[in-house]
Amino acid sequence: MTLAALVLALDYASALIFALTGALVASRKQLDLTGFVFMAALTAVGGGTLRDLLLDRAPLVWVARPSLIVMAAVAAVIVFWTAHLLESRARALLWLDAFALAIAVPAGVGVAMGVGVSPVIVVLMGIATGTFGGLMRDVVGNEVPMIFRQGELYITAAFGGALTAVLLVWLGLPQPAALLACAAVVLALRIGSMVWGWALPLYKPRPPRQP
């Protein structure tokens, strides 16, 4: 599979799963069907939109492929009629978001690699693509953003996956294989944080030293 084909597949997959998470947040807020579609579409294409704007990439991903918006709308309608069947929408949201992050980060990395920007920008575009849609979803839905929840690896997971891809390409691994490794690292770190409590040390205030 070529890099372009893999990135396209990742963009569609991440948009679909992120759309489901947006619709789940809408269900938690008891919005109407229009609200479901808005939240799903916002979450689905938010990260890709920021990525394309920063890379001066035209047209934007959802303008070039309106089917992304249609897919998000269909996902929203499905969740509207089925969300009540879930035993825990909060838990479903957490797991779906983890998989969406693991797919969106390599999508952003792949697009940046295709444009030919520096490795630092490649890593940043991976992080932006993976996190911005979910951040917009949580802010608009008045939820505590997942990227700021204490004791969880989120941006760190995105950074670790994007950095892995850059290093593997530098070592000579084909880009598509590096993107798959990126997805695996992001998912492993995110699941490790959710299930086993992996986390970075938190800042703890200390009283100033007495002179």
Side-chain angles (χ1 to χ4, degrees):
M1 180 180 290
T2 65
L3 178 64
L6 178 57
V7 168
L8 180 61
L10 291 171
D11 263 337
Y12 270 92
S14 64
L16 173 60
I17 303 177
F18 266 134
L20 294 173
T21 70
L24 282 175
V25 170
S27 73
R28 286 162 57 86
K29 301 303 175 181
Q30 299 182 354
L31 302 182
D32 61 17
L33 185 56
T34 302
F36 270 67
V37 173
F38 174 78
M39 289 293 290
L42 177 72
T43 312
V45 301
T49 299
L50 178 64
R51 173 198 68 203
D52 291 348
L53 288 172
L54 292 174
L55 292 175
D56 196 23
R57 190 167 175 255
L60 299 178
V61 60
W62 54 272
V63 176
R65 299 184 178 88
S67 53
L68 287 168
I69 302 296
V70 175
M71 181 179 67
V74 171
V77 173
I78 292 173
V79 173
F80 183 82
W81 293 108
T82 60
H84 66 282
L85 300 176
L86 293 171
E87 182 177 346
S88 172
R89 280 174 285 174
R91 185 169 180 80
L93 172 62
L94 194 65
W95 279 95
L96 283 172
D97 186 86
F99 281 98
L101 181 69
I103 298 171
V105 172
V109 168
V111 167
M113 285 181 174
V115 173
V117 293
S118 72
V120 172
I121 303 304
V122 169
V123 172
L124 292 176
M125 290 303 101
I127 295 172
T129 307
T131 62
F132 195 69
L135 176 61
M136 295 173 67
R137 172 200 66 210
D138 294 340
V139 170
V140 173
N142 198 28
E143 300 263 346
V144 177
M146 287 191 183
I147 65 173
F148 297 137
R149 291 183 183 176
Q150 289 187 348
E152 290 193 20
L153 300 178
Y154 199 95
I155 290 182
T156 304
F159 171 75
L163 183 61
T164 296
V166 168
L167 291 176
L168 289 177
V169 170
W170 180 71
L171 291 173
L173 195 71
Q175 290 177 342
L179 295 186
L180 295 178
C182 169
V185 170
V186 174
L187 188 60
L189 290 174
R190 191 73 187 100
I191 290 177
S193 178
M194 292 161 49
V195 177
W196 296 294
W198 297 354
L200 295 177
L202 298 176
Y203 171 78
K204 295 181 179 180
R206 297 176 293 277
R209 294 182 178 180
Q210 297 298 325

